[in-house]
Amino acid sequence: FTAVIQEYAQSLGKENFYLIGEITGGREFAFDLMETTGLNAALGIDDIPDKLEYLAKGYRNPQSYFSLFRNSVLVGKGSHIWYGKHIVTLFDDHDQVCKGGNKARFCGDTLNRGHAHLPSVVALNLTTMGIPCLYYGTEQAFNGAGDNDRYLRECMFGGTFGSIQSNGLHFFNEEHKIYRIIVAINQIRKERLALRRGRQYLREISDSGEAGTFGYPHMMGDRILSVVPWSRIFDNHEIVLAINTDVDQSRTAWVTVDNNLHGDKSKFLKCIYSTDTAQIDTTITIEQKNGKAVRLTVPPGGFVIYEQPEQAKLT
């Protein structure tokens, strides 16, 4: 099937027609099936949705998500590039096989205040490695929950089962807060090659910035309430990003940046996006801590992006 589709696409002049498959059964099986069939990419439905959702909500260690994209013997590849081009990252999907009979949209999880965490999980999906996929309704904060898939498939345009268990309502609102966040982040992603193709590194943090206090963010007991930062690097361009898993208060931390990319001329990073608009265009100083580090603040349940001003909009 894939060979015939690819040949037909080439007959129309489409040399790089991209075929993405939904493959269940784990990453190793998905990789083998992709190689066998000639698919270009697969939905990461086995482990990515769980780690994306519950990292943003503070119930997974950041390394459990970010380690999925490291060089892996499992798929026999020696480069991050494979993950960037061949794995579709997602959450809030319409099957949620990992949740068994207790299914819920991201915002349907009222116990963990899903709606408050939605900006950070959207940001994680759009700015970490892989091919980001958003399921319809996420951009409108749909909140279906129940013991059947139908609760995950609310009507967008006035059907019999809509979000908030409503009937006959039209839900597509381009001014919705989450929709506007997605638009803004996607525009920045479009303008910066590092966010689409760059290597990815979870960054060490520290409260004090003192030597010996830096370490990767991790759960304390059964929860992590912290800044979770990472970098995307392409060539000599580093973009520093961070979410806050705490939805009740802003969090501040010293965040490690690449020691070799910020020489004597690199004095500060500029905020090019924040869920708190007052932060945009402000700067933070690069200091000699743990190699080099910056002290940044992330709004409650929010997200920030920083980069060197002279490297803005490297496409």
Side-chain angles (χ1 to χ4, degrees), residues 51-279:
K51 290 177 172 58
L52 256 177
E53 174 170 353
Y54 291 107
L55 167 55
K57 292 175 178 175
Y59 291 100
R60 296 289 183 272
N61 274 313
Q63 284 185 311
S64 71
Y65 174 68
F66 284 90
S67 65
L68 293 175
F69 303 94
R70 297 175 62 185
N71 298 344
S72 176
V73 176
L74 179 66
V75 296
K77 297 293 181 181
S79 170
H80 70 284
I81 295 173
W82 189 85
Y83 290 102
K85 292 181 178 179
H86 301 289
I87 294 295
V88 179
T89 59
L90 62 137
F91 71 101
D92 216 19
D93 65 281
H94 298 171
D95 294 309
Q96 298 188 6
V97 292
C98 64
K99 293 184 180 179
N102 186 25
K103 302 177 187 295
R105 285 278 206 159
F106 189 90
C107 291
D109 181 6
T110 56
L111 178 64
N112 293 308
R113 300 163 67 188
H115 189 273
H117 291 283
L118 189 54
S120 60
V121 74
V122 163
L124 266 173
N125 194 21
L126 294 177
T127 61
T128 53
M129 194 171 287
I131 304 169
C133 171
L134 288 171
Y135 277 74
Y136 91 89
T138 298
E139 82 289 351
Q140 306 296 327
F142 277 13
N143 67 347
D147 60 0
N148 191 285
D149 289 352
R150 71 188 183 94
Y151 295 109
L152 310 176
R153 306 179 185 195
E154 307 103 310
C155 297
M156 178 77 79
F157 302 109
T160 57
F161 179 65
S163 188
I164 324 175
Q165 293 74 56
S166 61
N167 294 327
L169 296 182
H170 185 293
F171 279 95
F172 192 72
N173 175 15
E174 294 185 38
E175 298 307 315
H176 192 286
K177 174 186 175 181
I178 301 303
Y179 186 96
R180 300 317 308 172
I181 288 173
I182 292 169
V183 169
I185 295 175
N186 270 337
Q187 184 60 37
I188 293 171
R189 186 179 188 274
K190 180 180 179 181
E191 294 170 347
R192 287 159 175 83
L193 191 57
L195 292 180
R196 306 192 307 274
R197 302 292 179 85
R199 306 185 303 279
Q200 178 171 281
Y201 302 95
L202 181 65
R203 289 307 191 189
E204 294 185 336
I205 63 173
S206 168
D207 283 336
S208 67
E210 299 297 322
T213 65
F214 281 84
Y216 292 109
H218 59 86
M219 295 172 67
M220 304 290 287
D222 64 352
R223 194 83 192 271
I224 176 173
L225 297 172
S226 170
V227 170
V228 177
W230 66 97
S231 291
R232 298 295 304 272
I233 297 177
F234 189 87
D235 192 21
N236 65 346
H237 183 205
E238 178 176 21
I239 297 179
V240 180
L241 313 97
I243 63 166
N244 180 5
T245 62
D246 188 342
V247 297
D248 292 314
Q249 61 183 332
S250 62
R251 294 273 177 165
T252 300
W254 286 96
V255 173
T256 305
V257 297
D258 192 283
N259 191 44
N260 297 319
L261 295 181
H262 303 283
D264 294 338
K265 293 182 180 180
S266 297
K267 302 296 184 182
F268 58 89
L269 299 181
K270 180 179 179 180
C271 181
I272 60 172
Y273 181 77
S274 173
T275 46
D276 176 3
T277 56
Q279 284 188 289

Side-chain angles (χ1 to χ4, degrees), residues 270-314:
K270 180 179 179 180
C271 181
I272 60 172
Y273 181 77
S274 173
T275 46
D276 176 3
T277 56
Q279 284 188 289
I280 297 174
D281 292 332
T282 62
T283 59
I284 50 178
T285 304
I286 300 172
E287 300 193 24
Q288 299 285 340
K289 297 177 183 292
N290 199 39
K292 290 189 176 70
V294 292
R295 190 171 186 267
L296 59 77
T297 298
V298 188
F303 171 65
V304 296
I305 308 176
Y306 283 86
E307 71 175 356
Q308 289 177 242
E310 64 270 22
Q311 292 185 319
K313 294 191 176 183
L314 177 64

